[in-house]
Amino acid sequence: MVMTNIEASVDIAAPIEEVFAFASDWKHWEDWWEGVSDFRPTTQVTQGNGARYAYKARMMGVSASVETEIHEFVPNRGWKGVSTKGIPHRTHWIFEQVGDCTKFTYALEYDLRVPLLGSMLDSLFMKPQWNRIIRESLDNLKQHFLTQAGLNPKPASDESG
C-alpha cells in the first residue's frame, strides 16, 4: 500500500492554549474545515484518546462517509487520527508555540484504492484538491483568530454612529 502524504502549516497570532482549545473542539470543525460536514461523535468520549467522529468529506462533487478515531492526544501539543470507516487515512495535528504565535501543522496520509489508475487519478485530481482544501482550511483557522483579535475588523459601514 502506497500512501500519499500532504503536510501544511500556518502561523496563528494567538497563544497555543487558545488555538488548541478552538481547533480541537469538534463543534467548531465545520466553521473552518473546507469540504467536510455533519461532524458528530460516535463514542461517549468526545475529545481525546478513543474519541471517534463520523463526518462527510466532499471532493470533486462526491461525498463520502468517514469515521476517524483519535490516538496519542496530548493537550496543547496535538494528536493523530486514524480512519475506522471510509477512505483509509491518517492525520496528524501538531501545535507548537513559536514566539507569540502558534504554529499549527496538519498532515494527511491517505490511500486511493483504485486499481491501475489510482496513482494517476491521485496525482492529477485528488492530491491537488486535498492540497487546496487543507491550505484553505488552515487559512480559515488563521482568519478566525485574526477576527477574534480585531485585526481584521468589519467594514466601517457596519458600525452605527
Side-chain angles (χ1 to χ4, degrees):
M1 168 171 54
V2 176
M3 301 284 276
T4 299
N5 298 298
I6 300 172
E7 184 175 300
S9 297
V10 65
D11 291 327
I12 300 170
I16 196 167
E17 297 82 8
E18 290 179 26
V19 176
F20 188 87
F22 182 80
S24 67
D25 186 343
W26 67 272
K27 295 173 191 156
H28 297 296
W29 289 343
E30 285 185 54
D31 297 339
W32 59 278
W33 267 113
E34 295 289 326
V36 292
S37 62
D38 302 329
F39 280 101
R40 63 181 173 79
T42 58
T43 55
Q44 291 292 323
V45 177
T46 60
Q47 186 179 51
N49 290 321
R52 285 186 180 193
Y53 307 98
Y55 53 98
K56 302 271 190 221
R58 186 169 185 80
M59 180 175 287
M60 298 185 304
V62 177
S63 185
S65 295
V66 180
E67 184 181 63
T68 301
E69 183 175 88
I70 304 304
H71 296 265
E72 301 177 34
F73 183 91
V74 179
N76 300 321
R77 295 292 305 265
W79 66 87
K80 291 183 180 178
V82 178
S83 65
T84 56
K85 292 182 184 168
I87 302 162
H89 70 279
R90 290 185 296 236
T91 63
H92 197 176
W93 300 50
I94 304 164
F95 299 81
E96 302 169 276
Q97 190 73 51
V98 178
D100 293 338
C101 293
T102 299
K103 179 179 179 182
F104 171 54
T105 301
Y106 178 83
L108 170 67
E109 295 177 71
Y110 64 89
D111 179 23
L112 184 61
R113 294 184 176 177
V114 178
L116 302 175
L117 297 176
S119 62
M120 184 177 72
L121 289 173
D122 186 38
S123 63
L124 291 175
F125 301 107
M126 296 297 283
K127 189 171 183 179
Q129 283 285 312
W130 274 120
N131 275 314
R132 182 190 58 77
I133 287 169
I134 292 167
R135 183 81 258 143
E136 287 178 8
S137 297
L138 297 185
D139 287 345
N140 290 343
L141 183 61
K142 181 176 184 171
Q143 186 63 40
H144 167 80
F145 285 94
L146 287 173
T147 301
Q148 292 297 308
L151 298 175
N152 192 13
K154 300 268 186 209
S157 62
D158 287 349
E159 298 174 8
S160 356

